[in-house]
Amino acid sequence: MKTTFALLAVLAATTGGALAGELCTAVTDTTLYADAALTEEVRPIFQFDGAQFVPRSKDGDTLYGEAFDVRMQPMLEEPIYARAKDWACEGEAPDAPAPAAPAAADAAGIAYDRSVEACGAEYSDTRVVVSDSALGFYESTCDVVERTEDGAGTARLTLQCYGEGEEWTVGAEIAETEAGLTLGIDGTSQSYVRCP
């Protein structure tokens, strides 16, 4: 922790800008951009990667600064842009109004795991976070490309997945149960409980 704050102090001194000392973490899967209009994507960022963003400035819904991995190594050689709403920053005003609960739950998703004990762990390699637009796993994230309902409570999904430098497409079936949900991928089905 001391190393992180020492590095932030150096960044604040060398990069300038009112926001240079803040540290932001991703609250949803997002992207780093090469332009302020947020149209030229240069790198996907997944909520569970532990990526951090040190902004130099903020203009409306756009942050400008540098992104770092969990070891605080730069992710790109040059400063980039990011959507401000996708990041939670330490320096945000504490009296800022909190978003409504349903919007926050939808943005972050609902966490499920194989057991209540696994839900209690800070990190779990069996956890899945489900939102309307994505499924997040331990070392990968899948965007929902297509969703169809069968009328019996099961949704069939086409997923575009990313993780560990790879990208792939997969089909899945997901159904809510009394305890949580059942998720089937590639013919293998697993049951999950909803985490509190």
Side-chain angles (χ1 to χ4, degrees):
M1 194 66 149
K2 290 180 181 176
T3 303
T4 299
F5 288 116
L7 179 58
L8 287 176
V10 171
L11 287 169
T14 59
T15 60
L19 300 176
E22 289 187 21
L23 180 64
C24 307
T25 55
V27 295
T28 187
D29 297 333
T30 187
T31 302
L32 301 178
Y33 296 88
D35 63 322
L38 305 179
T39 58
E40 188 181 337
E41 297 184 8
V42 291
R43 180 172 178 145
I45 297 293
F46 304 108
Q47 180 182 356
F48 300 106
D49 285 348
Q52 300 175 56
F53 192 86
V54 178
R56 286 186 180 184
S57 62
K58 181 177 179 181
D59 182 17
D61 194 38
T62 303
L63 290 174
Y64 172 72
E66 292 83 26
F68 299 87
D69 64 18
V70 294
R71 295 177 310 255
M72 289 306 286
Q73 300 296 315
M75 297 181 87
L76 297 167
E77 295 294 320
E78 54 201 43
I80 41 75
Y81 299 86
R83 282 189 299 263
K85 68 179 182 176
D86 294 345
W87 300 82
C89 300
E90 291 178 349
E92 290 178 336
D95 57 353
D106 181 60
I110 300 169
Y112 298 87
D113 214 321
R114 297 299 313 274
S115 67
V116 174
E117 293 78 22
C119 283
E122 184 177 358
Y123 299 103
S124 169
D125 60 2
T126 57
R127 188 165 301 149
V128 59
V129 178
V130 179
S131 72
D132 289 341
S133 59
L135 276 67
F137 300 93
Y138 176 63
E139 292 183 331
S140 61
T141 298
C142 300
D143 294 331
V144 177
V145 176
E146 185 178 352
R147 178 186 185 108
T148 57
E149 305 284 341
D150 70 357
T154 299
R156 288 181 172 72
L157 310 175
T158 301
L159 304 173
Q160 183 65 44
C161 301
Y162 313 87
E164 298 184 341
E166 302 291 326
E167 184 174 336
W168 65 97
T169 302
V170 67
E173 291 185 353
I174 191 168
E176 289 188 25
T177 65
E178 285 185 28
L181 65 84
T182 301
L183 176 63
I185 297 177
D186 287 339
T188 302
S189 182
Q190 297 288 335
S191 295
Y192 295 85
V193 297
R194 182 172 177 158
C195 295

